[in-house]
Amino acid sequence: MFTTLPKKLWIINKEANWALIDQSVVSGFNFLFSILLANYLGLKLFGVFSLIWMIVLLLNNIQVAAVIQPLMTLSAKYQKHKDNFYTCILLFHIIFLIFTLALSLLVHYLLMALEVGWYVEMPITLILAVLVLFQTQDLLRRYYFAEAQQVNSFISDIITYGGRILILMAVNYLYGLDIETTLLIISSSSLLGCFIALKHHPIISLNKNVTYHISRDILNVSKWLVPSSLVQWFSGQIYFLVAGILLGPVSVGALKAGQSVIGVTNILFQAMENFAAKGASIAYQYEGYASLNNYLKRISIYGGSITVAVCVALIISSDQIYSLIFREEYHEYSWIISWLGVTSIFIFFSFPLSIGLRTLNKSSLIFKFNLILGL
């Protein structure tokens, strides 16, 4: 049985604190990793890596929409059948990985056939390993948030993202760094995180009738979120794609370096995915629309205030930040922070809206909203 709403939302607030701590660590490590990588590889090679990483993030965005967002939105609903629910999530994840591998191979051979200069010698085996292990570790960490086992998620993330930086620094110091070695470091650290996380895996359980209802709900939540994630990704990444095609990898490296700096705002974005969807679902189940609306207003006001303050501070000090953390060839591109900072503010306020619509099972409106913004 559920506890009362106030106590349950107090638990969600406690989970929110853990989500913010965990995401602060992950975003901090990602920030440091990007800065080190940009300086170790140089502007051109960092641009090439960024183009490859865009493909990884595209497929990861689809996985989030198809598997992870349904996990976070529906976990409270299926607490009485949680083993069956998590088994269904795992099966959807495996199906998606098969789709990911097939699509990645298709894109690989297409780029090879077109003789795209920067891609010709890319190691497809390592790219596939990164895709599988990166997405699996991400699923496992979200499972622990759904189960209110944030410490397990935190340990897995420390191993994955902290270990990635230590290995990167050691390899660069001893041997130097290239793109192939970078992909190997990312896949190895994700594998370590998976091993740690799998120590506390859910019990495998399948009941035919319950599985049918769970699968139907997962598909209902994700059927509009997947195309919405594609529209959102292309509208956000079109500048990088055009820059890569027209101006080459150097321009992409400059844009991605700026995105690494402004990426500190991802702490709130990603933390909200880890706790707010579950909190919104519980608020709506107990007291309906009014409670949901109040919950979303609260996180919009608090989160929005922090996001605006951070973005304004980064914009004002962009020249000093670039001089401090990047090698000289990046300094002329500090103006990119102003553009990315304003964009991040608008992106933040779309998160509470998206969470509310998912809770109300109106994901088709998310697709239409993102489609309008994309156009």
Side-chain angles (χ1 to χ4, degrees):
M1 290 291 293
F2 284 126
T3 57
T4 60
L5 178 60
K7 184 176 180 181
K8 198 67 178 177
L9 287 180
W10 178 85
I11 294 172
I12 293 298
N13 288 333
K14 184 179 178 182
E15 293 175 14
N17 292 333
W18 262 109
L20 286 170
I21 293 170
D22 181 86
Q23 197 57 50
S24 297
V25 170
V26 171
S27 294
F29 282 146
N30 278 335
F31 170 77
L32 183 56
F33 183 82
S34 296
I35 300 305
L36 291 173
L37 197 60
N39 287 296
Y40 289 161
L41 291 178
L43 191 54
K44 184 176 180 179
L45 277 183
F46 183 63
V48 173
F49 171 81
S50 297
L51 286 167
I52 297 172
W53 198 246
M54 282 170 61
I55 298 172
V56 175
L57 292 182
L58 168 61
L59 293 169
N60 183 248
N61 279 359
I62 300 173
Q63 184 221 20
V64 168
V67 182
I68 290 177
Q69 287 181 343
L71 163 66
M72 304 307 294
T73 301
L74 298 172
S75 60
K77 180 178 179 180
Y78 286 105
Q79 279 299 298
K80 291 183 179 179
H81 306 284
K82 63 179 184 179
D83 290 334
N84 207 142
F85 173 71
Y86 292 128
T87 302
C88 285
I89 289 291
L90 178 61
L91 291 176
F92 272 79
H93 174 66
I94 292 171
I95 292 169
F96 182 78
L97 287 182
I98 295 171
F99 163 78
T100 295
L101 295 176
L103 183 60
S104 300
L105 286 171
L106 177 63
V107 171
H108 168 74
Y109 288 117
L110 177 62
L111 292 175
M112 293 292 287
L114 294 174
E115 297 183 348
V116 177
W118 59 267
Y119 188 81
V120 171
E121 298 182 359
M122 288 300 107
I124 185 59
T125 304
L126 280 177
I127 293 175
L128 295 179
V130 167
L131 284 168
V132 171
L133 294 171
F134 180 80
Q135 292 180 128
T136 300
Q137 194 274 335
D138 193 31
L139 175 70
L140 290 171
R141 68 185 291 266
R142 307 296 185 113
Y143 158 72
Y144 289 123
F145 275 108
E147 274 293 279
Q149 298 179 28
Q150 296 87 351
V151 174
N152 291 330
S153 178
F154 184 74
I155 293 171
S156 177
D157 288 340
I158 288 288
I159 298 295
T160 300
Y161 295 95
R164 185 173 298 167
I165 290 174
L166 293 176
I167 297 171
L168 181 78
M169 295 173 66
V171 169
N172 180 71
Y173 178 78
L174 294 173
Y175 307 106
L177 207 63
D178 57 23
I179 291 175
E180 186 171 348
T181 306
T182 302
L183 293 173
L184 182 60
I185 290 170
I186 293 172
S187 58
S188 300
S189 60
S190 295
L191 181 61
L192 287 174
C194 289
F195 280 143
I196 298 298
L198 283 173
K199 291 176 64 177
H200 307 278
H201 60 79
I203 299 171
I204 303 299
S205 174
L206 282 176
N207 175 282
K208 184 177 179 179
N209 187 49
V210 175
T211 298
Y212 168 76
H213 289 288
I214 293 173
S215 300
R216 185 184 62 185
D217 276 356
I218 292 173
L219 291 172
N220 283 337
V221 170
S222 65
K223 66 182 179 182
W224 287 106
L225 293 178
V226 171
S228 177
S229 72
L230 289 172
V231 171
Q232 191 175 42
W233 185 89
F234 277 107
S235 63
Q237 303 297 322
I238 187 66
Y239 305 103
F240 299 98
L241 294 173
V242 171
I245 293 170
L246 298 180
L247 303 176
V250 170
S251 60
V252 178
L255 287 168
K256 283 296 181 180
Q259 196 174 57
S260 298
V261 175
I262 210 70
V264 68
T265 57
N266 283 336
I267 294 174
L268 272 176
F269 295 176
Q270 298 301 321
M272 283 175 62
E273 285 292 342
N274 291 337
F275 73 86
K278 183 177 178 181
S281 177
I282 290 174
Y284 183 63
Q285 285 185 46
Y286 273 86
E287 294 187 357
Y289 179 80
S291 180
L292 171 64
N293 191 43
N294 289 333
Y295 180 77
L296 294 177
K297 280 182 180 179
R298 196 161 62 247
I299 62 175
S300 297
I301 293 170
Y302 294 151
S305 300
I306 296 172
T307 300
V308 170
V310 170
C311 287
V312 169
L314 291 174
I315 291 170
I316 292 173
S317 57
S318 58
D319 289 339
Q320 293 85 346
I321 292 172
Y322 265 62
S323 298
L324 180 65
I325 64 176
F326 288 122
R327 52 202 285 182
E328 189 174 351
E329 61 182 325
Y330 289 92
H331 292 179
E332 63 182 292
Y333 300 104
S334 62
W335 58 269
I336 292 173
I337 295 297
S338 298
W339 167 56
L340 292 175
V342 173
T343 303
S344 294
I345 292 172
F346 285 102
I347 290 174
F348 172 82
F349 286 104
S350 71
F351 268 76
L353 175 62
S354 174
I355 290 169
L357 291 174
R358 276 164 25 208
T359 303
L360 297 171
N361 198 21
K362 294 182 178 180
S363 51
S364 62
L365 293 178
I366 301 175
F367 171 71
K368 294 173 184 177
F369 176 73
N370 284 326
L371 184 60
I372 292 171
L373 289 182
L375 295 175

